[in-house]
Amino acid sequence: MWKWLHPYAKADRAYQLCNTLLPYFAVITVVCMIVGWVWGLAYAPADYQQKDSYRIIFIHVPSAILSMGAYSSMAIAAIVALVWQLRNAELAVIAIAPVGACVTAIALITGAAWGKPMWGAWWVWDARLTSELILLFLYLGVLSLYHAFEDKKAAGRAASILAIVGVINLPIIHFSVEWWNTLHQGASITKFNTNAIDPSMFWPLMLNIVAFAAFVGTVTLMRLKNEILQREKHRPWVRQLLNRG
Amino acid sequence: MIRQHSYWQLFSAVCKKDLQLAFRQRAEIVNPLLFFLIVITLFPLAIGPEPGLLARIAPGIIWVAALLSTMLGLDKLFRDDYHDGSLEQLIASSYPLPLTVLAKVVAHWIITGLPLVLMTPLFALLLNLDTNALIATVLTLLLGTPLLSFIGAIGAGLTVGLQKGGILMSLLVLPLYIPVLIFATSAIETSTMSLDYSGQLAILGAMLVVAILSAPIAISSALKVSVS
């Protein structure tokens, strides 16, 4: 693990890695998102009960999944940053945090828009909605803590600690809220063999999930590149890069 | 690396120092209590004095007021030590920092949490709670307020080096308080229906044990970041 990670502790190697990965993520994002959205929004059959308004699922579910996925990757980066003292991992935490917060906000807003016609209210105090809202608070906490510090080195470490504390608490929050009140339907696509969702809707949904994941990856990589450049702006290799471009 | 004192001596010395400081400045103990009392007074004024309604929402009021009033004291937890440099000495000393932190948090609970628990019968009277619910409230506060101190100390450790850490700390800490709030109020609500609420108490107890074991480590690494 260490041998494999070690080269990327150097900022210029990490920057290069970002550059190599970025086009793949970008291409997957564009292709999957176009195909997934057109398929989901135009060609997938309408639901027998919810008619066309169910189609927001193709944005709502991927963003909800990614809101948690982004938090866990942020926490993994934070653990790497604190255990191996890798500064690039700290930068990754900061690169992911706003992206994750945005995805969480998208999930909440699309959820509200879906809830209005289906449940008759923009917002209900249901378990999943509440824990998603708390997730947003945790993201905002990490972000505001980072920006409160003058010294960006300490800021990255503090944000990492908070991200780890948050990830330990997240399951507790999730289950306590679940126990507290539940109206939201359960997950439909956890068990692949006994699918609660029809294949004609399942595949475009999968495609959209992949697209969202790649999208989060793309934006994170772009932000990480910027963070590295900003942090290392006094280094010769950055100067060289800037002079060349 | 010479350790002249046992760990227990260290623990009790740090604890005693903090308690002494607090008892010399009594406002530190009294103010959060007054705040708690005033918040509780505001609710009947805001929603009307009907006894049935008050008894119905009393657990929620007491617990939200408890969350807010523990937040008041948290800001002071490490700030004075940070400003006079003794925090740096505690970190630099050869004694384990998590133990020192544990002592400070325990002292903080004795100053802010314990008076709250002892005052609860009075608040219960104001809000028209019956004896059953009163016992449940006291028990949940007894298990819950130390938990609040531990979780809050993580936020206090992270923000102690900042100029305006207070409001930021509440933003960081309050979301983490939510499970405590849920289980505590649900225990009280169950007790008003004369049902068994030992399950909720057990979960609160379990969370407290986890917090005692893991929070001091998180707090000490947060303090190291803030001091460096």
Side-chain angles (χ1 to χ4, degrees), chain B residues 38-122:
Chain B
I38 290 171
V39 169
I40 285 183
T41 321
L42 290 179
F43 274 93
L45 295 176
I47 57 170
E50 194 216 324
L53 181 65
L54 282 182
R56 170 83 184 74
I57 59 168
I61 296 175
I62 290 182
W63 261 93
V64 170
L67 291 191
L68 295 178
S69 63
T70 50
M71 295 291 322
L72 286 183
L74 276 175
D75 197 37
K76 289 271 285 176
L77 179 54
F78 298 116
R79 192 158 296 264
D80 292 342
D81 281 356
Y82 177 76
H83 282 303
D84 66 13
S86 49
L87 192 61
E88 216 162 312
Q89 295 303 319
L90 287 175
I91 291 174
S93 80
S94 58
Y95 293 96
L97 185 59
L99 188 68
T100 322
V101 163
L102 183 68
K104 285 189 79 68
V105 175
V106 168
H108 176 262
W109 177 72
I110 294 174
I111 298 161
T112 59
L114 196 57
L116 218 69
V117 180
L118 297 178
M119 294 281 278
T120 317
L122 177 65

Side-chain angles (χ1 to χ4, degrees), chain A residues 134 137-138 141-142 144-145 148-149 154 157-158 161-162 165-166 169 172-173 176-177 179-180, chain B residues 154 158-159 162 168 171-172 175-176 178-179 182-183 186 200 207 218 221-222 224-226 228:
Chain A
I134 297 167
F137 292 155
L138 291 179
V142 171
S144 48
L145 184 65
F149 276 84
R157 297 228 309 277
I161 293 175
L162 188 65
V165 172
N169 267 279
I172 305 178
I173 294 174
S176 65
V177 171
W179 191 60
W180 168 67
Chain B
I154 301 175
L158 283 171
T159 53
L162 302 172
L168 176 63
L171 289 182
L172 305 183
L176 302 178
I178 289 168
I182 289 175
F183 285 114
S186 132
Q200 286 94 323
M207 291 203 288
S221 50
K224 279 178 192 162
V225 170
S226 291
S228 65

Side-chain angles (χ1 to χ4, degrees), chain A residues 125-208:
Chain A
W125 286 99
D126 155 72
R128 289 193 165 203
L129 278 74
T130 314
S131 50
E132 192 76 5
L133 185 65
I134 297 167
L135 185 68
L136 182 64
F137 292 155
L138 291 179
Y139 273 122
L140 295 180
V142 171
L143 276 175
S144 48
L145 184 65
Y146 179 77
H147 290 292
F149 276 84
E150 290 278 311
D151 172 18
K152 288 300 165 206
K153 241 171 104 178
R157 297 228 309 277
S160 307
I161 293 175
L162 188 65
I164 294 173
V165 172
V167 88
I168 294 170
N169 267 279
L170 210 55
I172 305 178
I173 294 174
H174 182 80
F175 286 111
S176 65
V177 171
E178 192 124 307
W179 191 60
W180 168 67
N181 195 2
T182 295
L183 172 71
H184 198 289
Q185 66 176 40
S188 307
I189 50 172
T190 43
K191 292 180 199 132
F192 275 79
N193 39 2
T194 54
N195 251 323
I197 180 169
D198 191 78
S200 59
M201 297 171 188
F202 173 75
W203 289 113
L205 183 58
M206 268 329 243
L207 212 57
N208 271 308

Side-chain angles (χ1 to χ4, degrees), chain A residues 22-231:
Chain A
L22 194 53
Y24 296 103
F25 276 92
V27 167
I28 295 173
T29 308
V30 172
V31 171
C32 287
M33 206 167 258
I34 291 174
V35 176
W37 278 5
V38 170
W39 189 359
L41 298 182
Y43 289 99
D47 188 75
Y48 82 101
Q49 230 178 3
Q50 307 191 1
K51 302 286 179 294
D52 277 335
S53 57
Y54 92 97
R55 289 182 197 280
I56 204 165
I57 194 176
F58 297 113
I59 296 168
H60 175 69
V61 169
S63 57
I65 290 177
L66 261 296
S67 67
M68 286 174 249
Y71 199 93
S72 35
S73 35
M74 183 172 83
I76 292 169
I79 292 170
V80 171
L82 288 181
V83 173
W84 288 293
Q85 306 279 325
L86 290 185
R87 270 214 286 161
N88 292 326
E90 278 167 25
L91 297 178
V93 171
I94 295 315
I96 300 173
V99 185
C102 285
V103 175
T104 315
I106 292 174
L108 282 171
I109 293 166
T110 53
W114 196 3
K116 184 63 187 161
M118 289 308 126
W119 297 335
W122 292 105
W123 183 263
V124 286
W125 286 99
D126 155 72
R128 289 193 165 203
L129 278 74
T130 314
S131 50
E132 192 76 5
L133 185 65
I134 297 167
L135 185 68
L136 182 64
F137 292 155
L138 291 179
Y139 273 122
L140 295 180
V142 171
L143 276 175
S144 48
L145 184 65
Y146 179 77
H147 290 292
F149 276 84
E150 290 278 311
D151 172 18
K152 288 300 165 206
K153 241 171 104 178
R157 297 228 309 277
S160 307
I161 293 175
L162 188 65
I164 294 173
V165 172
V167 88
I168 294 170
N169 267 279
L170 210 55
I172 305 178
I173 294 174
H174 182 80
F175 286 111
S176 65
V177 171
E178 192 124 307
W179 191 60
W180 168 67
N181 195 2
T182 295
L183 172 71
H184 198 289
Q185 66 176 40
S188 307
I189 50 172
T190 43
K191 292 180 199 132
F192 275 79
N193 39 2
T194 54
N195 251 323
I197 180 169
D198 191 78
S200 59
M201 297 171 188
F202 173 75
W203 289 113
L205 183 58
M206 268 329 243
L207 212 57
N208 271 308
I209 294 172
V210 172
F212 255 77
F215 175 66
V216 168
T218 312
V219 180
T220 305
L221 284 174
M222 285 161 71
R223 283 185 45 81
L224 182 58
K225 273 172 63 177
N226 284 342
E227 293 283 340
I228 292 176
L229 285 185
Q230 258 172 12
R231 184 73 70 92

Side-chain angles (χ1 to χ4, degrees), chain B:
Chain B
M1 292 286 274
I2 308 159
R3 290 180 184 155
Q4 294 172 329
H5 305 284
S6 72
Y7 285 164
W8 172 248
Q9 277 172 323
L10 168 81
F11 182 88
S12 55
V14 173
C15 221
K16 217 159 130 191
K17 186 205 98 185
D18 275 18
L19 288 179
Q20 243 168 19
L21 282 175
F23 279 112
R24 285 188 190 152
Q25 260 189 343
R26 297 224 176 78
E28 215 177 300
I29 304 177
V30 177
N31 283 353
L33 277 180
L34 276 179
F35 176 79
F36 189 73
L37 187 62
I38 290 171
V39 169
I40 285 183
T41 321
L42 290 179
F43 274 93
L45 295 176
I47 57 170
E50 194 216 324
L53 181 65
L54 282 182
R56 170 83 184 74
I57 59 168
I61 296 175
I62 290 182
W63 261 93
V64 170
L67 291 191
L68 295 178
S69 63
T70 50
M71 295 291 322
L72 286 183
L74 276 175
D75 197 37
K76 289 271 285 176
L77 179 54
F78 298 116
R79 192 158 296 264
D80 292 342
D81 281 356
Y82 177 76
H83 282 303
D84 66 13
S86 49
L87 192 61
E88 216 162 312
Q89 295 303 319
L90 287 175
I91 291 174
S93 80
S94 58
Y95 293 96
L97 185 59
L99 188 68
T100 322
V101 163
L102 183 68
K104 285 189 79 68
V105 175
V106 168
H108 176 262
W109 177 72
I110 294 174
I111 298 161
T112 59
L114 196 57
L116 218 69
V117 180
L118 297 178
M119 294 281 278
T120 317
L122 177 65
F123 303 137
L125 211 67
L126 285 176
L127 292 173
N128 200 35
L129 271 182
D130 59 15
T131 331
N132 234 346
L134 169 64
I135 295 169
T137 313
V138 171
L139 285 177
T140 53
L141 280 173
L142 205 56
L143 284 172
T145 44
L147 200 50
L148 299 183
S149 293
F150 275 106
I151 299 172
I154 301 175
L158 283 171
T159 53
V160 68
L162 302 172
Q163 283 297 317
K164 284 172 187 161
I167 186 92
L168 176 63
M169 186 185 62
S170 15
L171 289 182
L172 305 183
V173 165
L174 283 175
L176 302 178
Y177 278 174
I178 289 168
V180 186
L181 180 69
I182 289 175
F183 285 114
T185 48
S186 132
I188 303 173
E189 216 147 281
T190 319
S191 80
T192 53
M193 293 181 276
S194 328
L195 295 171
D196 179 33
Y197 54 91
S198 54
Q200 286 94 323
L201 287 185
I203 289 177
L204 279 178
M207 291 203 288
L208 179 59
V209 170
V210 172
I212 291 173
L213 290 175
S214 57
I217 301 168
I219 300 164
S220 23
S221 50
L223 285 176
K224 279 178 192 162
V225 170
S226 291
V227 167
S228 65

